[in-house]
Amino acid sequence: MRIIYFGTPDFSVAFLEALIAEGHIPVAVVSQPDKPQGRKHITEPTPVKKYAELHDIPILQPTNINTPETLEKIRVFQPDTIVVVAFGQILKQEILSLPRFGCINVHPSLLPKYRGAAPLQEAILHGDTETGVTIIQIDAKMDHGPILAQETLLLSSDETLSSLREKTTTLGSRLLIDVIKKIQDGAAQPHPQDDTLATYTRLLTRESGKIDWKK
């Protein structure tokens, strides 16, 4: 299939790597604009952009993904589907409707639990013993679309963000490849989420990392 891949941070790279390894080389990659990094504020390409450049994949880096100009640039690639993993911008309906098989998203939680931007951190902060990865068909609401695949994984008693990220990328990459194959074969069977069970993650700030030494 003609796939366009949307992603930005390190977490996204493993999924792009898995697609390429299975022969699903995206016709284009869309990533956030490069930003100054570190104390010296040196402008660095995003991790996904760096990886895409190694494979000579065309790259788009719009400041606003939903402008008519960006929509036309994406339309040129005639995508069958768009895969979104930690991209960092909300996609409006004009883009969601563009691919013939729609847009899919990899989310590292057991949706509808922990919708939002920090599901890995929330699972650890709440002392959960299990979490998982869910792949959904994206709709207009945040992390709300019908589920294409979902699988559970266990958290250890000393789980960290780094270790949990590694677990979810390994599981999620395999699920993503399975979903792509089902879409190709016409065997995908999405089912709606139960909105009555939905929970949402908090916006994490520097204050979130402060320890109360009285506890």
Side-chain angles (χ1 to χ4, degrees):
M1 291 197 301
R2 295 180 62 82
I3 297 171
I4 297 181
Y5 186 81
F6 283 43
T8 298
D10 285 317
F11 181 75
S12 303
V13 174
F15 297 90
L16 177 57
E17 184 179 10
L19 286 172
I20 293 173
E22 290 292 323
H24 301 298
I25 301 174
V27 295
V29 161
V30 182
S31 195
Q32 291 273 52
D34 300 338
K35 295 180 179 179
Q37 305 289 335
R39 293 183 178 180
K40 295 184 178 179
H41 298 284
I42 298 173
T43 300
E44 294 278 349
T46 70
V48 164
K49 178 182 177 181
K50 286 181 183 179
Y51 195 82
E53 287 177 332
L54 293 176
H55 295 272
D56 297 319
I57 301 172
I59 301 164
L60 302 176
Q61 291 183 280
T63 302
N64 182 350
I65 190 64
N66 296 298
T67 64
E69 294 80 10
T70 301
L71 183 63
E72 286 308 309
K73 289 179 181 178
I74 293 172
R75 194 191 306 275
V76 166
F77 291 101
Q78 299 179 321
D80 292 317
T81 190
I82 290 174
V83 175
V84 182
V85 184
F87 171 55
Q89 295 186 40
I90 301 296
L91 309 184
K92 292 188 177 178
Q93 192 60 48
E94 289 80 2
I95 291 181
L96 298 181
S97 302
L98 189 59
R100 65 187 180 121
F101 295 121
C103 303
I104 60 177
N105 172 243
V106 181
H107 188 80
S109 82
L110 296 173
L111 288 173
K113 189 175 185 179
Y114 297 150
R115 292 174 178 175
L120 297 179
Q121 294 93 324
E122 288 285 356
I124 295 172
L125 287 168
H126 282 87
D128 292 354
T129 57
E130 66 177 26
T131 185
V133 176
T134 308
I135 298 182
I136 63 169
Q137 187 108 39
I138 304 174
D139 64 14
K141 298 180 181 180
M142 182 180 66
D143 300 329
H144 170 274
I147 294 172
L148 292 163
Q150 186 174 79
E151 194 165 321
T152 300
L153 60 82
L154 300 178
L155 278 73
S156 67
S157 59
D158 59 351
E159 203 74 65
T160 67
L161 180 58
S162 178
S163 63
L164 187 53
R165 184 181 287 129
E166 184 175 348
K167 288 180 180 179
T168 52
T169 53
T170 300
L171 172 58
S173 296
R174 175 173 58 78
L175 280 183
L176 175 60
I177 298 303
D178 290 346
V179 166
I180 292 292
K181 185 177 187 305
K182 286 180 180 178
I183 292 174
Q184 282 182 308
D185 296 343
Q189 296 182 327
H191 62 275
Q193 297 183 40
D194 185 348
D195 287 341
T196 64
L197 301 177
T199 59
Y200 295 86
T201 64
R202 296 167 286 174
L203 179 63
L204 297 181
T205 66
R206 291 181 66 86
E207 291 297 316
S208 306
K210 290 191 174 180
I211 296 173
D212 181 355
W213 294 106
K214 296 177 181 177
K215 296 182 179 179

